[in-house]
Amino acid sequence: MGNSALSLFLGLMSTASVLMPITAQAATFDYSKIKNFSTRPIESDYVLDFFGDITENEGYALINNLDPNAPDAGHVSIAKNALPGSSGYYTMGRPASPAPNTATRSATLKSIKGFPNLSTYLNSNNIPLSSIGFSYGQKADRDFTKALNLGEDKLGQDWFASPDSTIEERIYQTGPNDEENILIYGTTKVVDFGSSPFYFATDNGPTPGVSDNFNVFLNDPVPATKAANLDPIASGLADAFLEDLAAAGGSIQTISEDSTLRAEFTTYNGYDVTYVNFPLQLRGVSSSRNIPESSSGLGLLIFGALGTAALIKQQKNKLKMYNFITKE
């Protein structure tokens, strides 16, 4: 469990996300500090920008076993200036969380760059951007323990950190037949994306505080396929997206960057569950998977990120305090 002062601070930050408007924020992450995976963001003229707002029943989940001796309890980071508390062991979009919820997507489309056929199709059929969503997580017939996770959670294998560096790196992965990443129209899956580990990194900044942390996640470029048994409108939408994707290079890369922490906390059936605001970009890129070398100039105009370092595990009395503040 995290210390009470920082837990309350994070609770107040989460409450602030309800009161403050979502605005774009330019920031850059120094990818040259990442040493244990080579995947980097790839520039693209084909970009879909999404945002998953926890106040709108969207976002993603981080989950840990409450039993500190359980293999899925999550590790405590040894990185310089790391937050106290355990890291998220499992991650999935809010709809795939084991805690009861009515979410249908992780994030909603906010803007389009490129993708001319998709844009024309949406306009011609009076389909608003808000009809398009993204989600990820274990397949519907799998237990949540098959979601993206830290495996053995072993230092030097599944995560990497040093007391001399503010950087922690993690690799979330699972069986390729256990999880899915999908594009959604309304509540209908229209496109399946291929499987890839999610690479996460956090820079804990120059102080032990929260405000100077910076988190990123991204995956390798993956192919996309049209979902089966679609009605004519959904089928046409999938075709338009895939036609643009082919022109962009044939694959999708998912990228998110974050210099803020905005979250909700709860517990369920012996697990801590943290819901986090989820911004991301889907970039159409080359299927060659040639990942460029690290660059410090690849800032994204989005909030949030997968993993949010080690979000503090809330004690029950802090959960009650958080709920009280939110109601106020």
Short mmCIF file of all heavy atoms in Angstrom, two decimals, residues 235-267:
data_model
loop_
_atom_site.label_atom_id
_atom_site.label_comp_id
_atom_site.label_asym_id
_atom_site.label_seq_id
_atom_site.Cartn_x
_atom_site.Cartn_y
_atom_site.Cartn_z
N SER A 235 -19.65 -2.80 -42.56
CA SER A 235 -18.73 -3.42 -43.53
C SER A 235 -18.06 -2.35 -44.38
O SER A 235 -16.84 -2.41 -44.63
CB SER A 235 -19.51 -4.40 -44.41
OG SER A 235 -18.67 -4.97 -45.39
N GLY A 236 -18.84 -1.36 -44.85
CA GLY A 236 -18.27 -0.29 -45.64
C GLY A 236 -17.28 0.54 -44.86
O GLY A 236 -16.25 0.98 -45.38
N LEU A 237 -17.56 0.76 -43.58
CA LEU A 237 -16.65 1.50 -42.72
C LEU A 237 -15.33 0.77 -42.58
O LEU A 237 -14.25 1.36 -42.71
CB LEU A 237 -17.30 1.71 -41.36
CG LEU A 237 -16.64 2.69 -40.38
CD1 LEU A 237 -17.67 3.23 -39.41
CD2 LEU A 237 -15.51 2.04 -39.61
N ALA A 238 -15.39 -0.53 -42.33
CA ALA A 238 -14.16 -1.33 -42.21
C ALA A 238 -13.37 -1.30 -43.51
O ALA A 238 -12.13 -1.17 -43.50
CB ALA A 238 -14.52 -2.76 -41.82
N ASP A 239 -14.06 -1.41 -44.64
CA ASP A 239 -13.37 -1.39 -45.94
C ASP A 239 -12.66 -0.06 -46.17
O ASP A 239 -11.52 -0.02 -46.66
CB ASP A 239 -14.37 -1.64 -47.07
CG ASP A 239 -14.87 -3.07 -47.10
OD1 ASP A 239 -14.20 -3.95 -46.54
OD2 ASP A 239 -15.95 -3.30 -47.70
N ALA A 240 -13.32 1.04 -45.82
CA ALA A 240 -12.71 2.37 -46.00
C ALA A 240 -11.46 2.50 -45.13
O ALA A 240 -10.42 3.00 -45.58
CB ALA A 240 -13.72 3.46 -45.67
N PHE A 241 -11.55 2.06 -43.89
CA PHE A 241 -10.39 2.12 -42.99
C PHE A 241 -9.24 1.27 -43.53
O PHE A 241 -8.09 1.74 -43.58
CB PHE A 241 -10.79 1.62 -41.60
CG PHE A 241 -9.62 1.45 -40.66
CD1 PHE A 241 -9.10 2.52 -39.97
CD2 PHE A 241 -9.03 0.20 -40.49
CE1 PHE A 241 -8.01 2.37 -39.12
CE2 PHE A 241 -7.95 0.03 -39.64
CZ PHE A 241 -7.44 1.13 -38.96
N LEU A 242 -9.53 0.06 -43.97
CA LEU A 242 -8.47 -0.84 -44.44
C LEU A 242 -7.85 -0.36 -45.75
O LEU A 242 -6.65 -0.56 -45.99
CB LEU A 242 -9.01 -2.25 -44.58
CG LEU A 242 -9.37 -2.93 -43.24
CD1 LEU A 242 -10.09 -4.26 -43.50
CD2 LEU A 242 -8.12 -3.16 -42.39
N GLU A 243 -8.64 0.30 -46.59
CA GLU A 243 -8.09 0.87 -47.82
C GLU A 243 -7.08 1.97 -47.50
O GLU A 243 -5.99 2.03 -48.10
CB GLU A 243 -9.22 1.42 -48.69
CG GLU A 243 -8.75 1.92 -50.05
CD GLU A 243 -9.90 2.37 -50.94
OE1 GLU A 243 -11.07 2.16 -50.56
OE2 GLU A 243 -9.63 2.93 -52.02
N ASP A 244 -7.43 2.83 -46.55
CA ASP A 244 -6.49 3.87 -46.13
C ASP A 244 -5.26 3.26 -45.46
O ASP A 244 -4.13 3.73 -45.68
CB ASP A 244 -7.16 4.83 -45.15
CG ASP A 244 -8.15 5.76 -45.84
OD1 ASP A 244 -7.97 6.05 -47.04
OD2 ASP A 244 -9.12 6.20 -45.17
N LEU A 245 -5.47 2.24 -44.66
CA LEU A 245 -4.35 1.62 -43.97
C LEU A 245 -3.36 1.02 -44.96
O LEU A 245 -2.14 1.12 -44.77
CB LEU A 245 -4.84 0.55 -42.99
CG LEU A 245 -3.78 -0.07 -42.09
CD1 LEU A 245 -3.14 0.99 -41.19
CD2 LEU A 245 -4.38 -1.19 -41.24
N ALA A 246 -3.87 0.42 -46.02
CA ALA A 246 -2.99 -0.14 -47.05
C ALA A 246 -2.14 0.97 -47.67
O ALA A 246 -0.94 0.79 -47.91
CB ALA A 246 -3.82 -0.85 -48.12
N ALA A 247 -2.75 2.13 -47.91
CA ALA A 247 -2.01 3.25 -48.48
C ALA A 247 -0.96 3.78 -47.51
O ALA A 247 0.09 4.28 -47.93
CB ALA A 247 -2.98 4.37 -48.87
N ALA A 248 -1.23 3.65 -46.21
CA ALA A 248 -0.30 4.14 -45.19
C ALA A 248 0.87 3.20 -44.95
O ALA A 248 1.86 3.60 -44.33
CB ALA A 248 -1.04 4.37 -43.88
N GLY A 249 0.77 1.97 -45.42
CA GLY A 249 1.84 1.02 -45.21
C GLY A 249 1.40 -0.34 -44.74
O GLY A 249 2.19 -1.28 -44.69
N GLY A 250 0.13 -0.47 -44.33
CA GLY A 250 -0.43 -1.78 -44.05
C GLY A 250 -0.51 -2.20 -42.60
O GLY A 250 -1.08 -3.25 -42.29
N SER A 251 0.05 -1.42 -41.68
CA SER A 251 0.04 -1.81 -40.27
C SER A 251 -0.36 -0.64 -39.38
O SER A 251 -0.32 0.51 -39.78
CB SER A 251 1.42 -2.32 -39.84
OG SER A 251 1.73 -3.55 -40.47
N ILE A 252 -0.74 -0.98 -38.15
CA ILE A 252 -1.12 0.00 -37.14
C ILE A 252 -0.14 -0.06 -35.98
O ILE A 252 0.22 -1.14 -35.51
CB ILE A 252 -2.54 -0.28 -36.62
CG1 ILE A 252 -3.58 0.25 -37.59
CG2 ILE A 252 -2.77 0.33 -35.25
CD1 ILE A 252 -3.71 1.77 -37.64
N GLN A 253 0.28 1.12 -35.52
CA GLN A 253 1.05 1.22 -34.28
C GLN A 253 0.25 2.04 -33.28
O GLN A 253 -0.28 3.11 -33.60
CB GLN A 253 2.41 1.87 -34.50
CG GLN A 253 3.28 1.86 -33.24
CD GLN A 253 4.64 2.51 -33.42
OE1 GLN A 253 4.78 3.50 -34.14
NE2 GLN A 253 5.65 1.96 -32.76
N THR A 254 0.14 1.52 -32.06
CA THR A 254 -0.56 2.20 -30.97
C THR A 254 0.45 2.90 -30.09
O THR A 254 1.44 2.30 -29.68
CB THR A 254 -1.34 1.17 -30.14
OG1 THR A 254 -2.23 0.44 -30.99
CG2 THR A 254 -2.14 1.85 -29.04
N ILE A 255 0.21 4.18 -29.80
CA ILE A 255 1.15 4.99 -29.04
C ILE A 255 0.39 5.87 -28.04
O ILE A 255 -0.65 6.43 -28.37
CB ILE A 255 1.97 5.92 -29.97
CG1 ILE A 255 2.66 5.11 -31.07
CG2 ILE A 255 2.99 6.73 -29.18
CD1 ILE A 255 3.25 5.98 -32.17
N SER A 256 0.93 5.99 -26.84
CA SER A 256 0.36 6.92 -25.86
C SER A 256 1.48 7.52 -25.03
O SER A 256 2.47 6.87 -24.73
CB SER A 256 -0.63 6.19 -24.95
OG SER A 256 -1.25 7.08 -24.06
N GLU A 257 1.33 8.79 -24.67
CA GLU A 257 2.28 9.48 -23.80
C GLU A 257 1.51 10.24 -22.73
O GLU A 257 0.39 10.70 -22.96
CB GLU A 257 3.15 10.45 -24.59
CG GLU A 257 4.05 9.77 -25.61
CD GLU A 257 5.10 10.72 -26.18
OE1 GLU A 257 5.01 11.94 -25.92
OE2 GLU A 257 5.99 10.24 -26.90
N ASP A 258 2.13 10.40 -21.56
CA ASP A 258 1.41 10.97 -20.43
C ASP A 258 2.33 11.71 -19.49
O ASP A 258 3.36 11.19 -19.08
CB ASP A 258 0.73 9.84 -19.66
CG ASP A 258 0.18 10.30 -18.32
OD1 ASP A 258 -0.39 11.39 -18.27
OD2 ASP A 258 0.35 9.56 -17.34
N SER A 259 1.96 12.92 -19.15
CA SER A 259 2.67 13.64 -18.09
C SER A 259 1.70 14.06 -16.99
O SER A 259 1.96 15.00 -16.24
CB SER A 259 3.40 14.86 -18.66
OG SER A 259 2.48 15.72 -19.31
N THR A 260 0.55 13.38 -16.90
CA THR A 260 -0.42 13.63 -15.83
C THR A 260 -0.93 12.29 -15.32
O THR A 260 -0.84 11.27 -15.99
CB THR A 260 -1.63 14.44 -16.34
OG1 THR A 260 -2.33 13.68 -17.31
CG2 THR A 260 -1.19 15.78 -16.92
N LEU A 261 -1.49 12.30 -14.10
CA LEU A 261 -2.11 11.10 -13.53
C LEU A 261 -3.56 11.43 -13.20
O LEU A 261 -3.83 12.29 -12.36
CB LEU A 261 -1.38 10.66 -12.26
CG LEU A 261 0.09 10.28 -12.38
CD1 LEU A 261 0.65 9.93 -11.02
CD2 LEU A 261 0.27 9.12 -13.34
N ARG A 262 -4.50 10.74 -13.84
CA ARG A 262 -5.91 10.95 -13.56
C ARG A 262 -6.58 9.60 -13.52
O ARG A 262 -6.58 8.87 -14.51
CB ARG A 262 -6.55 11.85 -14.63
CG ARG A 262 -5.91 13.24 -14.66
CD ARG A 262 -6.55 14.15 -15.66
NE ARG A 262 -5.91 15.46 -15.63
CZ ARG A 262 -6.33 16.51 -16.30
NH1 ARG A 262 -7.39 16.42 -17.08
NH2 ARG A 262 -5.70 17.66 -16.22
N ALA A 263 -7.14 9.25 -12.36
CA ALA A 263 -7.57 7.87 -12.17
C ALA A 263 -8.71 7.76 -11.17
O ALA A 263 -9.00 8.69 -10.42
CB ALA A 263 -6.38 7.02 -11.71
N GLU A 264 -9.35 6.59 -11.17
CA GLU A 264 -10.34 6.20 -10.16
C GLU A 264 -9.88 4.88 -9.56
O GLU A 264 -9.27 4.07 -10.26
CB GLU A 264 -11.73 6.03 -10.79
CG GLU A 264 -12.35 7.29 -11.33
CD GLU A 264 -13.66 7.01 -12.05
OE1 GLU A 264 -14.01 5.81 -12.23
OE2 GLU A 264 -14.33 7.99 -12.41
N PHE A 265 -10.21 4.66 -8.29
CA PHE A 265 -9.73 3.48 -7.58
C PHE A 265 -10.89 2.70 -6.97
O PHE A 265 -11.84 3.28 -6.47
CB PHE A 265 -8.76 3.88 -6.47
CG PHE A 265 -7.66 4.82 -6.92
CD1 PHE A 265 -7.83 6.18 -6.87
CD2 PHE A 265 -6.48 4.31 -7.42
CE1 PHE A 265 -6.84 7.05 -7.30
CE2 PHE A 265 -5.47 5.17 -7.83
CZ PHE A 265 -5.65 6.54 -7.78
N THR A 266 -10.77 1.38 -6.99
CA THR A 266 -11.74 0.53 -6.32
C THR A 266 -11.08 -0.82 -6.05
O THR A 266 -9.91 -1.04 -6.39
CB THR A 266 -13.01 0.36 -7.18
OG1 THR A 266 -14.01 -0.31 -6.41
CG2 THR A 266 -12.73 -0.44 -8.44
N THR A 267 -11.79 -1.71 -5.40
CA THR A 267 -11.32 -3.08 -5.20
C THR A 267 -12.43 -4.03 -5.63
O THR A 267 -13.62 -3.69 -5.60
CB THR A 267 -10.95 -3.35 -3.73
OG1 THR A 267 -12.11 -3.13 -2.90
CG2 THR A 267 -9.82 -2.44 -3.28
#
